[in-house]
Amino acid sequence: MDLITTLALIVSSTLVYSAPLIFTALGGVYSEHSGIVNIGLEGIMTMGAFAAVIFNLTFAPVFGGATPWFGLLIGGLAGLLFSLLHAVATINFRADHVISGTVLNLMAAPLGVFLIKAIYDKGQTNNITANFGYFSFPGLANIPFFGPIFFKNTSAPAWLAIVVTILLWLVLYKTRFGLRLRACGENPQAADTMGINVYGMRYAGVLISGFLGGIGGAVFAQAISGNFSVSTIVGQGFMALAAVIFGKWNPLGAMGASLFFGFAQSLSVIGNQLPGFQHIPSVYMQIAPYVITIVVLVAFLGKSVAPAADGVNYIKSK
Amino acid sequence: MFNLSEKNKKFLVPIVSVIAGFLVGAIIMLVWSYNPIQAYGSMFISALGNMNGIGETIREATPLIFTAIGFAIASSAGFFNIGLPGQAQAGWITAIWIALANPNLPKYILLPVCIIAGALAGAIVSGIAGVLRAYFGTNEVITTIMINYIVLYLCQYLMQQIMSPKLRVDMDATKAVSANGSLHLDWLSNCFGQSRINAGIFLALIALFCFWWLMRKTTTGFEIKAVGLNPLASQYAGMSAKKNIIVSMLLSGAFAGLGGVVQGLGTYQNYFTQTASLDIGWDGLSVALLGGGSALGILIAALLFSILKIGGLGMQTIAGIPYEIVSIVIAAIIFFIAINYVVGLLFSRKAAVKTPTDHYPTNNQTVTLGKEEQL
């Protein structure tokens, strides 16, 4: 294998595996900045994957090649609806954020499989026919050297994720909405005193995370797994949560961390095709994201990095 | 006026949550035109209607009691140990590995060694999170989640690459342990219609007693609870927060590890490839939350969830309803436990209506508000 082919293989598979993580981690960033810890990302992704696969199987004949893109939207909406449970429990009903998030994780896979069994009468769906596949950017793919590596036969959802990351970074740090959202996660009392609707902002944070997490699940289902079963989403959501922390609660950081974790994941899959990687047991690549997250938490982060009121219920005095 | 004391709430919340959880399950079944009465009926009949069902239900409850105790100890100290699946898995593979490697040791040596080693393995896994929390202030929720996955992949690697192929049947399962390393008891199994019930349940009952004794009668238990209630005050009273964080996490992991041991040496008699975090970890967490962290509560909650899980298998066969409804009901129950604030509110509102002050809205409102703040 020559250099360009090798690099192209690494980059494209990294992008494929990163895309779901980027979307979901961005959701985590928004939820945590509003002050709601969301360890239910795993469950939200599962619902997104479930809805996208059902939609894809049903409507592929109607929408053809555009089906997976509509599937993203449907997956996002499913995630948003599902995250509503978390929002109501933590914002209105003062539930412990970790317990409520765990409930999402406990609920999602059984609910998805129950519905699959109720609809199709079997434990896992057929493989979808319209998946994302590979995409080449017209024009850009012809650039010498960089074209074949980054823009030819690459993952379209991943590039969308990168664009969305930049947009969401701008929203979080350069707009009034972003400032208010962060204020609710740092000091809800002060935000409330300034006339910001803390509950409303926190709903926005959680529902955005639901929408993005659902999209993440939909990307995973339609680009990688190809069907839905109980083992479609195993650990992806937790890895996205790790990316939020590794990325220091910053959208760009979360994207960088997701790309790195995607790289580690893809190495454990394509490692045997690469020179020099055949002899490294894949277990090291599999556990790398998790080990790195712990090391980062211990070694590089002070306690002050997470939003100050993250995980603290805000009870408005009347 | 009707006063919902903390003590009453402690009993009401789990009961209301269980009923509400069953209702959620019933509604979902109705929506998909399954018959919920037939479902719950067949569930209880197949779990409790014959000796084999009862035996299997007790067998299912055994590891859950251990993992729930593990969760409850950490929870008393103020930690959310979400790493139960990894700790249990470490206990499981360790106990099986030792039992397989020394099949000819006498039972009275081999069995205790396997059990203790399994507990130690669980304790080491959770101890990592405890030490990081004590010395670096690292959030234990994140570290234990991450460690779950590290353990999951490491166990796969250990079994497939490090364990001697002589101990394995194929890449995905080990051989069964010898009689000397097994918790299986012929007479017990025969009593309960050849089910997989095993000596683990006796260990679980002893563990429940130890847990009760530890938390109620010992200084260690008192310090763990004190640190959980108010770390600063206990520090001021001369208790070491660091020591108690680590001790509670070690104990927590040891019990979770034992849950894996009884699953291995009792239920399955071998270790096989796991593709996702162990169920007994997540179910133990649910059991502890429903049981409110008391020994009796854990026993009852473990039996209830086991009835659901074992009965669910029968329900799927008899009534043709997907087994997953069981997990949905359990998750729903925990959801209602999590929003216990509402359950409390429900009862205090109802009570407020009955009082004569009802005619004076302003007055009544202040009473209700005062109540809310207490909750």
Side-chain angles (χ1 to χ4, degrees), chain A residues 199-213:
Chain A
Y199 287 7
M201 279 297 165
R202 289 191 159 186
Y203 262 96
V206 176
L207 295 186
I208 290 172
S209 86
F211 187 70
L212 291 170

mmCIF file of all heavy atoms in Angstrom, chain A residues 199-213:
data_model
loop_
_atom_site.group_PDB
_atom_site.id
_atom_site.type_symbol
_atom_site.label_atom_id
_atom_site.label_comp_id
_atom_site.label_asym_id
_atom_site.label_seq_id
_atom_site.Cartn_x
_atom_site.Cartn_y
_atom_site.Cartn_z
ATOM 1 N N TYR A 199 -35.174 27.553 33.989
ATOM 2 C CA TYR A 199 -35.792 26.285 33.591
ATOM 3 C C TYR A 199 -35.856 26.182 32.065
ATOM 4 O O TYR A 199 -35.562 25.138 31.485
ATOM 5 C CB TYR A 199 -37.198 26.154 34.191
ATOM 6 C CG TYR A 199 -37.210 25.868 35.680
ATOM 7 C CD1 TYR A 199 -36.037 25.877 36.431
ATOM 8 C CD2 TYR A 199 -38.396 25.556 36.337
ATOM 9 C CE1 TYR A 199 -36.060 25.610 37.787
ATOM 10 C CE2 TYR A 199 -38.422 25.285 37.701
ATOM 11 C CZ TYR A 199 -37.250 25.314 38.424
ATOM 12 O OH TYR A 199 -37.280 25.041 39.765
ATOM 13 N N GLY A 200 -36.236 27.288 31.425
ATOM 14 C CA GLY A 200 -36.325 27.287 29.964
ATOM 15 C C GLY A 200 -34.980 26.997 29.328
ATOM 16 O O GLY A 200 -34.871 26.188 28.389
ATOM 17 N N MET A 201 -33.930 27.638 29.838
ATOM 18 C CA MET A 201 -32.590 27.441 29.296
ATOM 19 C C MET A 201 -32.133 25.999 29.485
ATOM 20 O O MET A 201 -31.495 25.412 28.611
ATOM 21 C CB MET A 201 -31.599 28.388 29.994
ATOM 22 C CG MET A 201 -31.626 29.775 29.440
ATOM 23 S SD MET A 201 -31.112 29.697 27.723
ATOM 24 C CE MET A 201 -31.626 31.252 27.137
ATOM 25 N N ARG A 202 -32.461 25.447 30.660
ATOM 26 C CA ARG A 202 -32.030 24.072 30.913
ATOM 27 C C ARG A 202 -32.790 23.091 30.020
ATOM 28 O O ARG A 202 -32.222 22.105 29.547
ATOM 29 C CB ARG A 202 -32.198 23.737 32.398
ATOM 30 C CG ARG A 202 -31.172 24.495 33.231
ATOM 31 C CD ARG A 202 -31.100 24.019 34.658
ATOM 32 N NE ARG A 202 -29.811 24.414 35.225
ATOM 33 C CZ ARG A 202 -29.382 24.051 36.421
ATOM 34 N NH1 ARG A 202 -30.128 23.285 37.188
ATOM 35 N NH2 ARG A 202 -28.205 24.438 36.849
ATOM 36 N N TYR A 203 -34.087 23.397 29.793
ATOM 37 C CA TYR A 203 -34.822 22.570 28.826
ATOM 38 C C TYR A 203 -34.143 22.634 27.472
ATOM 39 O O TYR A 203 -33.947 21.618 26.802
ATOM 40 C CB TYR A 203 -36.278 23.055 28.695
ATOM 41 C CG TYR A 203 -37.241 22.258 29.532
ATOM 42 C CD1 TYR A 203 -37.626 22.688 30.793
ATOM 43 C CD2 TYR A 203 -37.757 21.050 29.062
ATOM 44 C CE1 TYR A 203 -38.491 21.945 31.574
ATOM 45 C CE2 TYR A 203 -38.628 20.301 29.829
ATOM 46 C CZ TYR A 203 -38.996 20.753 31.089
ATOM 47 O OH TYR A 203 -39.842 20.003 31.860
ATOM 48 N N ALA A 204 -33.766 23.852 27.065
ATOM 49 C CA ALA A 204 -33.104 23.999 25.769
ATOM 50 C C ALA A 204 -31.838 23.140 25.725
ATOM 51 O O ALA A 204 -31.610 22.407 24.756
ATOM 52 C CB ALA A 204 -32.763 25.465 25.520
ATOM 53 N N GLY A 205 -31.044 23.216 26.781
ATOM 54 C CA GLY A 205 -29.796 22.450 26.817
ATOM 55 C C GLY A 205 -30.047 20.958 26.678
ATOM 56 O O GLY A 205 -29.407 20.285 25.861
ATOM 57 N N VAL A 206 -30.988 20.429 27.461
ATOM 58 C CA VAL A 206 -31.232 18.982 27.439
ATOM 59 C C VAL A 206 -31.842 18.562 26.100
ATOM 60 O O VAL A 206 -31.443 17.548 25.515
ATOM 61 C CB VAL A 206 -32.160 18.567 28.600
ATOM 62 C CG1 VAL A 206 -32.478 17.085 28.507
ATOM 63 C CG2 VAL A 206 -31.513 18.876 29.935
ATOM 64 N N LEU A 207 -32.790 19.360 25.585
ATOM 65 C CA LEU A 207 -33.434 18.954 24.338
ATOM 66 C C LEU A 207 -32.457 19.036 23.160
ATOM 67 O O LEU A 207 -32.502 18.188 22.259
ATOM 68 C CB LEU A 207 -34.675 19.816 24.078
ATOM 69 C CG LEU A 207 -35.791 19.637 25.127
ATOM 70 C CD1 LEU A 207 -37.042 20.400 24.731
ATOM 71 C CD2 LEU A 207 -36.133 18.169 25.337
ATOM 72 N N ILE A 208 -31.578 20.035 23.179
ATOM 73 C CA ILE A 208 -30.543 20.080 22.128
ATOM 74 C C ILE A 208 -29.675 18.833 22.217
ATOM 75 O O ILE A 208 -29.353 18.202 21.207
ATOM 76 C CB ILE A 208 -29.676 21.358 22.269
ATOM 77 C CG1 ILE A 208 -30.503 22.591 21.891
ATOM 78 C CG2 ILE A 208 -28.435 21.276 21.388
ATOM 79 C CD1 ILE A 208 -29.811 23.903 22.189
ATOM 80 N N SER A 209 -29.330 18.452 23.444
ATOM 81 C CA SER A 209 -28.496 17.246 23.585
ATOM 82 C C SER A 209 -29.268 16.017 23.109
ATOM 83 O O SER A 209 -28.693 15.095 22.530
ATOM 84 C CB SER A 209 -28.012 17.072 25.019
ATOM 85 O OG SER A 209 -28.950 16.382 25.805
ATOM 86 N N GLY A 210 -30.595 16.001 23.343
ATOM 87 C CA GLY A 210 -31.401 14.884 22.858
ATOM 88 C C GLY A 210 -31.405 14.818 21.341
ATOM 89 O O GLY A 210 -31.242 13.757 20.741
ATOM 90 N N PHE A 211 -31.574 16.003 20.718
ATOM 91 C CA PHE A 211 -31.625 16.049 19.257
ATOM 92 C C PHE A 211 -30.293 15.594 18.654
ATOM 93 O O PHE A 211 -30.254 14.752 17.765
ATOM 94 C CB PHE A 211 -31.967 17.479 18.817
ATOM 95 C CG PHE A 211 -32.202 17.617 17.344
ATOM 96 C CD1 PHE A 211 -33.334 17.069 16.757
ATOM 97 C CD2 PHE A 211 -31.300 18.290 16.538
ATOM 98 C CE1 PHE A 211 -33.569 17.186 15.400
ATOM 99 C CE2 PHE A 211 -31.521 18.412 15.173
ATOM 100 C CZ PHE A 211 -32.651 17.856 14.601
ATOM 101 N N LEU A 212 -29.198 16.168 19.193
ATOM 102 C CA LEU A 212 -27.876 15.828 18.652
ATOM 103 C C LEU A 212 -27.507 14.377 18.950
ATOM 104 O O LEU A 212 -26.923 13.687 18.111
ATOM 105 C CB LEU A 212 -26.822 16.782 19.206
ATOM 106 C CG LEU A 212 -26.937 18.229 18.711
ATOM 107 C CD1 LEU A 212 -26.016 19.138 19.505
ATOM 108 C CD2 LEU A 212 -26.602 18.309 17.232
ATOM 109 N N GLY A 213 -27.845 13.910 20.159
ATOM 110 C CA GLY A 213 -27.565 12.512 20.506
ATOM 111 C C GLY A 213 -28.339 11.574 19.597
ATOM 112 O O GLY A 213 -27.824 10.540 19.157
#
